[in-house]
Structure formats: structure tokens, C-alpha cells
Amino acid sequence: MTTDVASGPGDPAEPPANLAKLNANIARIEELTQRLVHALSQRRLPDPGVEAPGPDLFADAAAAWWTEMLENPGKLIEAQVGYWGKALRHYVAAQQALSQGRTEPPAGGDPAARPARPAADRRFANPLWDSHPWFNFLKQQYLLNVEAVESAVAELRDIPPLERRRIEFFTRQIVDMMAPTNFLATNPDALERALETEGESLVRGLENLVRDIEANRGELLVTLADRDAFKVGENIGATEGAVVFRNRMFELIQYAPRTAKVRARPLVIFPPWINKFYILDLKPANSLIRWVVDQGYTLFVVSWKNPDAGYAEVGMDQYVEEGYLTAIREVKAITGEARINAVGYCIAGTTLALTLALMKKRGDRSVASATFFTTLTDFADPGEVGVFLTDDFVDGIERVVAAQGYLDRVFMGRTFSFLRSNDLIYGPAIRSYMMGEAPPAFDLLYWNGDGTNLPARMAMEYLRGLCQANGFARGTFRICGETVSLADVTVPLCAIACETDHIAPWKASYAGIRQFGSRDKTFILAESGHIAGVVNPPVKEKYGYYTSAAPIGAESAAWKAGAAHHRGSWWPEWIGWLAKRSGRMVAARVPGDAAHPVLAPAPGSYVVEAPAA
């Protein structure tokens, strides 16, 4: 005879819920591991020239350091004794605290041996970095190591300025990479999350890692924003308009009027083709495109084609002839105006300046005024980006584009991310892969991850002729059969640079504007960086700007010394400048005309095409 007994939660016949969850997670890890191995196998064999600086850089740095130490051995002894003394004191203090079961770091101590965490260093925000002796020891030892490395680099003598900048930059990359926060076993936030979720956060993190590697064909590029939160043309890039012209280089978008009257002279914006144009048309509240239309302008924007290998032979000449000059011609035809106003952003500003110089040579006066957003034309000092513009990197890029026909968007995105590695690489990687968090729904970061390729010829002409040879500033650069210089740009102009721009440093931007041949020059210095300083709508009043009565011919320091600070966005200042050069008010224009029928609603097809595989 048998008796049925109901199984309780502790009955061996029914595994505990946490055991079932563990088994399910193990199965997920096995499946994800297989996907990870397959995704990594898709990665192209990298060219060492684009992965890291050439070995000569640190060999020269080491030689310079040893030369200095041999000439002054006392300095070497002092540095070594100081470092090891601090490290040993930290080790002993941490061991004592742990052996006595204390959960706080030892009180007092040598302030010099325990460097304070910088207030802005968000990596060490968790209280355990200060309250737990083990984590406190890791943090302080890391900061001591950073101090020692930075001191060694600072002691280098007889190093050319560019080489010193490169050594400092790539040393900082190594130092940032080795932070204890970047490793699971030494990151208290990640360990706490793993305990709270019974390991679920680590499984989600592995899912995020596999997803990113699969999406980038074997390369690791952290997803910065929720890819499902936005759709171009619906909740971003959605200002009403139409594509009214298309060729192999670009689609021309004319935006629908939002006022009964508009300025007679139309405005065309040339955005950079390194990224997509809708950075100027994110959500309605921060859309420069929508705001300009609201001010009563007939606005056109160029949406560039995202090139594949079929564009390998497209160079700067084609961008000028088939891009800029064609767009200007079509805008004039659609509006019936003899002259237009133009805006160029970043590399598109550089190329707008080349176009204007060419037009000067040809006697073409179609552009009445030009505005430059964060534009470099004199590359004598390109700032932080300059560390990637030496032959060891550029030679590698040349080999890669010769084989592929284009410079891959992944390389571009990764390179710019390293300029702010803690914010754009390590921080997001920790949240995604260690904490298992989903990327945020942030429109600016979504755009940042929506990259584009560069044609092979154009990329090399830009890197060799403009960046390395500085041909435009030296008057040796040839475009469409003409040799042009900065002095050939003579139209009235307004230039906006950004105070903390790490891609187009404001002083370098100012240096190029100084050399333009224009008599009518206005310079505006916006607060913040390359993107946030430009996308700064008046409603937020987040960042201010500077204007100066000093002549643009003065040095940048003199200009800044005489500058006045203004609260709020620079947009109204610029639009006031533009209004004086835009003619009378006329009846608003609808997109297109009989010869330019509407081809598609804005934002068009080029901006949403999948990049080349």
C-alpha cells in the first residue's frame, strides 16, 4: 500500500527555485558562448597599423627616460624609493585592517601616501571604495600607480611636442584601461549587482556583449543607446520636409515652411558625412533645423550617401563638384534666387571653405555668406585627434582602405570614442557587460552609434593633403583643378567654435578663420564641446557663449581676453547675423517645383540605408 504525500518546497522531488534559475542561466551561458565564438570568428584580421601606435613611440619614450635617469641617477632612486615606500605602507595598513576584521580603512595615515579621489572621478563613487579596506587598498594603489606613471612621462626631456602629446595620450589610455573598475573581480558595483540578482546581471551582461560583437562583425563596439527607442523619421529626424533632388552623392531635403513669410535668400546646411545629418534634427525641442525654419527661412539640408566599396574612387573633387556645387545650383533653381547662404559643420565646413575658395577662382558669387560650425582649416595644431594623424596610423589606414574601398564606420566610431574613453568606452561597457543594464534611451547617443563610412580616396586625400600636409593653410591644396588657399575665402562669414571641443579645438579653428580673406568676419565661442556646444537650443539655456569686439586678426588669446560672456544659446546671436544677409521677407515656399518634384518625404532614404557589410 502506498500513500500520496504532497511535495513541499523542500522536497527533493522539486528542485529549489534558485537551483532551477541557476540551471537555466547555465544553459543560457552555454548558448551565448557558442554565439560569442561564432561572432568573434567573423572579425576581419586587423592591420596592426590601425590598432595601436607604432612601437617606435614608446621605444623613443623609454630611451628618453633612461637617458634622463642616467644623467641624474638620484632622480631615479628618489622616484623608486618614494613609490615603493607608499605602496608598502598601503599594503601593511590594508593587511592589518583585514586581519583585525575591520570593515573600514585605517584612520589617519600619510596624506601623501593616500591620494584623495578627484571629486569628478565617477569611477570611484561607490562608498565601498572608501569604507572597505580591500577596495580602498585597490583604489589607492591604482592612484599611486597612475601618479608614478604620469610623473615618469612628465620627466621626459628633449621630446618634440607632438611626440610628447602622443606619449601622454596613449599612456593615459593604458592607465584608464587598467583601472580596477574595469574588472569584474575588483568592481564592487558589479559584484553587488551579481549578488542581488543571483548572477542574472552577469548573464544579461554576456547577452549584451554578444549582441554588440554580432552587430559589428566581430569588433567590440559598445552600444551607447537603446536601438529600439528611436526611429529616424518618426521620433527623431522628423521635421516636415521633402527630398527634392537626388544624385549618387546626396539627397537634398527642403523643409516645409512653418511661417507665412520667409527670408528671400535660402539657407543650405552641409552636415559632415562622417556622421548623419539628423544630429541637427533630434527631438523637436533641440532641433536646430526646426528652429531655423521657425525663424522664417527656406531651409535646405544635404543628406549624404553612406558609401560602400563602389565609392572607392570618390574623392574631395567629387564631394565639391557633385556635392556642394550641385546642391547650390539646385537650391538656386528651386527658389529662383541668384545667391544663397551656406552652413558647413566640421569636415563639411572644411570642404565648404575649399568650395568657396574654388568659386573665388572661378568667379562664381553664388554664396552670399557662409557659417562654419566647429571647423578646422589650418591643421598645424589639430588637438587630440592629432595623435592619430601620424604616419604609423595613416599608413595603416591607407592599407585598409585600399583593400576594402572605404574606411569602415566601426574604425571611425572607435577612434573618436578613445578621445573620451572613460565616458564612451569603459563606463558604458561596465554598465552593459558587468551590470547587465540595457542602454539608455538617449537620442544623442543613438545618433553617435549610427555611423557612416568614408570613401577610400576621399579619406586619404583628407588625411594626407589636409591634415598631414596642411595644404589648405599652406596654399598647396588642389581641388577640381585649382590650387587654393585660405586667403581665397572672401565671403562674409560667421564661425562658431566650442570651448572644450576635442575634435576641432577652438584655438585651431580660430587660427584658420584669421587667415581667410574675408573682410566681414564674426567669431562666436560657445561653451561645451563638439556636439553639445552646437546642439544648444535657447529653451534650455544650458551653455553660454562669448563674443568679442577684438578684431579676428588678433591672436586667439587677445580675442578671448576681450570677450564678453553671454548666458544662453548662441543660436539667436547667429540668426540675427544671418538675417542681415538674407534679404526681404517673401511668401513662404513649399518644397520643390515643377522641375524638382517631391521624391520622398523627409528625412529621405539615404539616411536610413544600412551601411556596407
Side-chain angles (χ1 to χ4, degrees):
M1 173 176 165
T2 59
T3 303
D4 292 333
V5 180
S7 297
D11 196 292
E14 181 178 320
N18 58 350
L19 179 60
K21 184 176 181 180
L22 176 63
N23 289 332
N25 282 339
I26 291 174
R28 288 166 65 192
I29 290 173
E30 291 177 352
E31 185 263 331
L32 287 167
T33 302
Q34 293 176 358
R35 285 174 54 193
L36 178 61
V37 170
H38 176 72
L40 289 172
S41 70
Q42 305 303 305
R43 187 179 186 228
R44 300 185 182 100
L45 290 176
D47 186 307
V50 299
E51 296 294 310
D56 291 348
L57 177 69
F58 285 107
D60 292 345
W65 190 81
W66 277 110
T67 299
E68 176 70 17
M69 292 304 107
L70 290 173
E71 293 176 355
N72 189 356
K75 185 180 294 185
L76 172 62
I77 296 172
E78 181 182 358
Q80 292 295 317
V81 170
Y83 170 76
W84 286 110
K86 293 177 183 178
L88 182 60
R89 284 196 295 273
H90 271 298
Y91 177 76
V92 171
Q95 286 281 36
Q96 290 177 344
L98 288 170
S99 65
Q100 295 170 12
R102 301 205 306 267
T103 58
E104 73 280 348
D110 181 1
R114 302 179 67 242
R117 171 175 61 88
D121 195 339
R122 293 172 292 181
R123 295 176 298 178
F124 301 111
N126 190 309
L128 286 175
W129 289 114
D130 294 318
S131 66
H132 191 281
W134 167 243
F135 288 112
N136 181 261
F137 170 73
L138 288 174
K139 180 193 75 171
Q140 300 293 355
Q141 188 62 49
Y142 169 72
L143 294 177
L144 279 176
N145 294 342
V146 172
E147 181 184 47
V149 171
E150 290 179 344
S151 295
V153 172
E155 292 294 335
L156 296 178
R157 299 290 183 267
D158 301 323
I159 296 290
L162 176 58
E163 191 169 357
R164 174 176 292 280
R165 184 181 298 174
R166 298 188 79 217
I167 292 170
E168 291 172 346
F169 177 85
F170 289 110
T171 299
R172 188 167 69 249
Q173 297 304 312
I174 295 171
V175 164
D176 288 345
M177 180 177 65
M178 298 307 297
T181 48
N182 294 337
F183 301 90
L184 176 62
T186 53
N187 186 315
D189 295 293
L191 294 173
E192 287 177 333
R193 180 67 58 84
L195 288 172
E196 292 168 0
T197 63
E198 297 182 327
E200 178 69 19
S201 61
L202 300 180
V203 178
R204 291 198 303 266
L206 182 57
E207 288 178 335
N208 292 342
L209 175 65
V210 172
R211 176 206 63 211
D212 286 349
I213 293 177
E214 287 177 336
N216 294 292
R217 306 186 300 280
E219 297 281 353
L220 178 56
L221 199 64
V222 187
T223 297
L224 298 178
D226 184 354
R227 307 304 298 174
D228 298 322
F230 301 99
K231 187 170 182 181
V232 179
E234 292 188 5
N235 56 356
I236 54 174
T239 299
E240 185 182 358
V243 175
V244 293
F245 176 83
R246 178 188 295 128
N247 65 11
R248 69 167 183 154
M249 298 297 294
F250 70 95
E251 290 182 327
L252 183 65
I253 300 171
Q254 181 180 358
Y255 286 91
R258 294 172 57 83
T259 56
K261 297 281 189 178
V262 295
R263 295 284 177 178
R265 184 166 291 157
L267 177 67
V268 58
I269 296 178
F270 294 96
W273 53 91
I274 289 178
N275 297 104
K276 295 184 177 179
F277 82 88
Y278 66 86
I279 183 59
L280 300 176
D281 189 29
L282 295 171
K283 293 178 292 190
N286 59 359
S287 169
L288 176 64
I289 286 173
R290 184 184 179 95
W291 186 84
V292 168
V293 174
D294 283 341
Q295 308 312 304
Y297 286 83
T298 302
L299 178 63
F300 295 81
V301 172
V302 165
S303 174
W304 299 103
K305 175 75 173 180
N306 191 357
D308 55 22
Y311 283 70
E313 292 303 313
V314 168
M316 296 297 290
D317 282 359
Q318 286 70 42
Y319 272 90
V320 169
E321 287 280 12
E322 299 180 44
Y324 285 74
L325 295 177
T326 298
I328 292 168
R329 181 192 70 210
E330 298 304 321
V331 169
K332 289 166 56 181
I334 292 170
T335 61
E337 293 292 323
R339 308 185 76 196
I340 62 100
N341 292 321
V343 176
Y345 189 176
C346 189
I347 186 177
T350 307
T351 313
L352 174 60
L354 289 170
T355 304
L356 293 171
L358 174 67
M359 295 173 76
K360 173 71 172 179
K361 295 275 188 176
R362 292 180 174 180
D364 186 343
R365 300 182 65 252
S366 296
V367 176
S369 77
T371 299
F372 299 94
F373 295 167
T374 62
T375 294
L376 288 184
T377 51
D378 183 343
F379 290 84
D381 182 11
E384 289 187 56
V385 176
V387 302
F388 297 105
L389 297 177
T390 48
D391 279 338
D392 51 355
F393 276 109
V394 177
D395 289 349
I397 293 171
E398 191 163 27
R399 291 190 296 269
V400 169
V401 300
Q404 293 182 188
Y406 61 90
L407 184 58
D408 195 285
R409 65 187 178 89
V410 173
F411 173 81
M412 298 295 296
R414 185 180 61 187
T415 299
F416 284 117
S417 292
F418 272 114
L419 298 178
R420 292 293 181 269
S421 56
N422 284 325
D423 293 332
L424 297 177
I425 298 178
Y426 302 123
I430 290 168
R431 291 189 292 272
S432 183
Y433 307 148
M434 293 190 199
M435 309 288 287
E437 297 177 2
F442 187 6
D443 56 355
L444 183 59
L445 291 180
Y446 176 91
W447 166 85
N448 189 72
D450 191 12
T452 57
N453 304 320
L454 299 181
R457 172 171 287 186
M458 173 266 141
M460 297 316 303
E461 289 175 347
Y462 180 77
L463 292 172
R464 295 290 192 198
L466 289 170
C467 297
Q468 286 192 312
N470 201 15
F472 198 10
R474 292 176 178 169
T476 60
F477 194 81
R478 288 187 64 79
I479 191 78
C480 301
E482 297 282 356
T483 301
V484 295
S485 70
L486 299 180
D488 294 325
V489 180
T490 58
V491 302
L493 65 88
C494 180
I496 293 90
C498 296
E499 194 172 22
T500 58
D501 195 330
H502 58 284
I503 295 174
W506 83 265
K507 291 181 180 179
S509 178
Y510 180 91
I513 298 300
R514 281 183 66 201
Q515 299 171 65
F516 284 2
S518 307
R519 294 182 180 179
D520 181 355
K521 300 178 187 178
T522 297
F523 191 83
I524 297 172
L525 179 60
E527 292 178 324
S528 194
H530 193 71
I531 301 300
V534 172
V535 184
N536 181 29
V539 293
K540 293 186 177 180
E541 291 195 358
K542 191 171 184 180
Y543 304 111
Y545 65 96
Y546 297 87
T547 59
S548 178
I552 305 300
E555 293 288 341
S556 58
W559 183 92
K560 181 69 181 295
H565 179 264
H566 310 274
R567 291 186 59 189
S569 171
W570 55 267
W571 293 7
E573 180 91 20
W574 167 62
I575 212 73
W577 177 91
L578 187 65
K580 298 173 183 177
R581 295 157 179 84
S582 298
R584 68 193 187 287
M585 303 300 291
V586 300
R589 306 174 176 107
V590 297
D593 62 9
H596 298 82
V598 170
L599 303 178
S605 59
Y606 282 1
V607 73
V608 294
E609 286 179 342

